[in-house]
Amino acid sequence: EVQLVESGGGLVKPGESLRISCTASGFTFTTYTMHWVRQAPGKGLEWVSSLTSGSADIAYADSVMGRFTVTRDNAKNSVFLEMNSLRADDTAVYYCTRGAFPGYSAYAFWGQGTLVSVSS
Amino acid sequence: IQMTQSPASLSGSIGDTVTITCRASQDIATYLAWYQQRPGSIPKLLIYAASTLQSGVPSRFSGSGSGTDFTLTISGLQPEDVATYYCQKYNSGPRTFGGGTKVEIK
């Protein structure tokens, strides 16, 4: 069974940094691109970042470009999102997702999410 | 690439057929997915490749389109279909979501 478990969320002040993690199980982690999607309270889904299996291809939303960095540790079946210069509008539940198939694929698997709150 | 969904909300009676549209600002072939998010739940994949039903999704859901114009149709609206529906392009570059369509029962 595919499982994605996020961790590391919490309350931080504007300008601070936070690193969230996603640990995967139930599939061959090195085969899949991994993604982060966020959802601000009461708002819609916003794609944040995608990272291919070998980390050769990385993409970011314009809203986080230059502030967020996505990485993965294939030995630990984990993907990370390092978030710097956090702003109030980064407050959201952050979901780790995986496609249904390797390559370009819709997001068939979602974690339960981790809440990041940015407030003074 | 921008993904524009319409309407932002709709209300239908049980058994109605309802349609949601999604327009991409550039050609995305059929790299289009639809998701359902019920209140308080995580998103669920309904349709991928514009028209392929994800395993386990009821057949009253269907998708069509290619290029820039896509539709999600619910044929025979059920109480459990109350949710917000999102389209998403998932090919290269930003994997943009549409703004969402909230579906309610009259």
Side-chain angles (χ1 to χ4, degrees):
Chain A
E1 179 192 5
V2 172
Q3 286 197 320
L4 303 170
V5 180
E6 302 94 339
S7 60
L11 174 63
V12 296
K13 292 181 169 55
E16 292 186 342
S17 299
L18 192 66
R19 187 199 203 204
I20 59 176
S21 305
C22 169
T23 301
S25 61
F27 64 99
T28 304
F29 185 70
T30 53
T31 302
Y32 290 88
T33 297
M34 299 299 295
H35 314 268
W36 288 98
V37 175
R38 69 183 182 182
Q39 187 167 34
K43 302 297 184 183
L45 301 173
E46 180 185 17
W47 170 80
V48 173
S49 182
S50 296
L51 175 62
T52 54
S53 57
S55 302
D57 188 9
I58 303 173
Y60 297 100
D62 287 345
S63 59
V64 307
M65 186 87 69
R67 300 187 300 122
F68 288 14
T69 302
V70 63
T71 57
R72 62 192 291 162
D73 184 339
N74 287 338
K76 296 182 178 179
N77 285 3
S78 295
V79 60
F80 308 97
L81 189 65
E82 182 77 35
M83 302 180 289
N84 298 319
S85 303
L86 282 161
R87 312 185 302 220
D89 62 359
D90 294 316
T91 294
V93 174
Y94 286 73
Y95 295 104
C96 173
T97 74
R98 196 211 89 175
F101 313 106
Y104 296 128
S105 179
Y107 301 169
F109 300 97
W110 297 67
Q112 288 300 312
T114 188
L115 176 62
V116 173
S117 297
V118 184
S119 174
S120 54
Chain B
I1 297 180
Q2 307 301 317
M3 306 298 293
T4 304
Q5 272 184 249
S6 61
S9 65
L10 66 86
S11 182
S13 299
I14 299 298
D16 278 356
T17 293
V18 299
T19 299
I20 299 168
T21 65
C22 179
R23 175 162 289 175
S25 59
Q26 296 179 29
D27 189 335
I28 59 169
T30 57
Y31 289 99
L32 191 281
W34 290 97
Y35 301 87
Q36 174 194 66
Q37 188 176 30
R38 294 183 173 125
S41 297
I42 65 173
K44 172 187 175 182
L45 176 62
L46 297 178
I47 287 170
Y48 61 93
S51 61
T52 302
L53 207 62
Q54 172 72 345
S55 175
V57 173
S59 59
R60 64 179 179 274
F61 291 93
S62 63
S64 65
S66 66
T68 61
D69 293 309
F70 303 88
T71 61
L72 172 70
T73 300
I74 309 174
S75 301
L77 192 64
Q78 298 298 306
E80 60 266 33
D81 300 336
V82 169
T84 301
Y85 294 82
Y86 298 92
C87 63
Q88 184 205 18
K89 57 91 69 180
Y90 58 85
N91 58 345
S92 61
R95 277 74 157 172
T96 312
F97 287 92
T101 297
K102 189 174 184 178
V103 173
E104 297 175 317
I105 302 292
K106 283 181 185 174

